[in-house]
Amino acid sequence: MENYFQKEIETASREQIRAWQDERLIKQVKHVWDNVPYYRRKMEEKGVTPEDIRSIDDLCKLPFLSKADLREAYPYGLMGKPLKDCVRIQSTSGTTGKRVVAFYTQHDIDLWDECCARAIMAAGGTNEDICQVGCLTIPTSSGNTERQIMFIMDLQATILCCTPSYAAYLAESMKEMGLTPEQIPLKAGIFGAEAWSEEMRRDIEKTLGIKAYDIYGLTELSGPGVSFECSEQTGMHINEDHFIAEIIDPDTGEVLPEGSQGELVFTSVDKEAFPLLRYRTRDICVLSRKKCSCGRTHVRMSKPMGRSDDMLIIRGVNVFPSQIETVLLNEGYADRKSTRLNS
């Protein structure tokens, strides 16, 4: 039986989802116009006012935001609320320049909680589970593998949330300790924040005795929980009551029809402190609204296939470094398993 955190929202009709998005987009554009001078200037440069946005059909009239804008506006230029109203700050690692800093009011945190709760329930979580990190939170962070395993075993954690590579390392470590899947209390894992292959998924599942689920998010928008896999695992459901997704041609900015491969763009329709409109993620993927057997009606996005800002064209074929990375990851992963088995 499929688990839902907010069934009436997660299985809402397409008409209802559209109505929520229309109403919230209009309100959000007015909020940004009134409180975010940086984006207001971009709207004025494009000749757009809040009155021009009457529904999501008008979304294409709004200007895009990019990571370059976030860096230019750093640190407070895209805030929609006074700093005194904010309760949390998140930032990226800043490996390619200034860090991206995102702000949250308590309202924003509550929305994020909802998104993560939906992902946990989709992975089979209930209020009786112990999630590392999740329902009953065990705040261990990453690293210190011995302590992680101790908590999993002693506290009988049932759901593991971390990066897939760390889950694979934990799995290898537990296997080397002589722990069998039957002895490990985990039943599910929710993994994201980096590329991982189906081979890696299956190996983690086999070693830990779990079902592994993908999750997607960006620091700029809301962290993990923007979208998540359900039991069908044929794409990640986007929380469309909070985020409007578009697929665009990365070169022209033209909105592409459903089913087209292109760059993913998100608009957050109810965030207060850091309300990004038409944010270009640079992730290449495909959207699908085909009926899902899990009962959820929110659009699904494919696992990102690459980045629009690092695409290469080789003999007329689009090639993404992340695709090469996945092959190398698979090869390296297979080599590590082979070495372990032969040692």
Side-chain angles (χ1 to χ4, degrees), residues 20-29 56 59 111 239-244 267-271 275-277:
W20 284 329
Q21 290 184 335
D22 285 346
E23 178 187 352
R24 293 171 187 180
L25 175 64
I26 292 168
K27 184 178 177 182
Q28 186 73 304
V29 170
I56 61 172
L59 190 60
L111 295 183
N239 287 307
E240 286 191 276
D241 52 324
H242 301 310
F243 306 100
I244 300 175
T267 294
S268 58
V269 291
D270 46 15
K271 279 195 70 177
L276 301 188
L277 304 183

Side-chain angles (χ1 to χ4, degrees), residues 118-168:
R118 292 178 193 177
I120 291 169
M121 292 284 281
T126 70
N127 58 4
E128 296 183 351
D129 281 291
I130 297 176
C131 195
Q132 193 164 313
V133 174
C135 305
L136 170 59
T137 302
I138 304 171
T140 55
S141 186
S142 59
N144 200 331
T145 301
E146 220 173 88
R147 183 178 63 187
Q148 292 274 357
I149 294 172
M150 179 189 73
F151 279 139
I152 288 172
M153 300 305 295
D154 293 352
L155 301 176
Q156 293 290 286
T158 50
I159 300 174
L160 176 66
C161 301
C162 60
T163 61
S165 59
Y166 192 60

Side-chain angles (χ1 to χ4, degrees), residues 22-23 25-26 50-58 61:
D22 285 346
E23 178 187 352
L25 175 64
I26 292 168
E51 290 69 34
D52 296 318
I53 310 301
R54 298 184 176 90
S55 73
I56 61 172
D57 290 335
D58 298 317
K61 298 177 182 177

Side-chain angles (χ1 to χ4, degrees), residues 83-110:
L83 195 59
K84 65 181 176 64
D85 293 339
C86 297
V87 298
R88 184 185 177 105
I89 296 175
Q90 289 186 182
S91 75
T92 60
S93 59
T95 53
T96 57
K98 282 186 178 178
R99 290 173 179 261
V100 170
V101 179
F103 301 85
Y104 292 76
T105 62
Q106 186 57 54
H107 166 80
D108 298 335
I109 292 292
D110 292 342

Side-chain angles (χ1 to χ4, degrees), residues 168-184:
Y169 183 69
L170 279 173
E172 289 181 28
S173 299
M174 294 173 92
K175 189 173 183 178
E176 287 169 0
M177 291 170 64
L179 293 169
T180 65
E182 293 74 28
Q183 294 172 309
I184 299 169

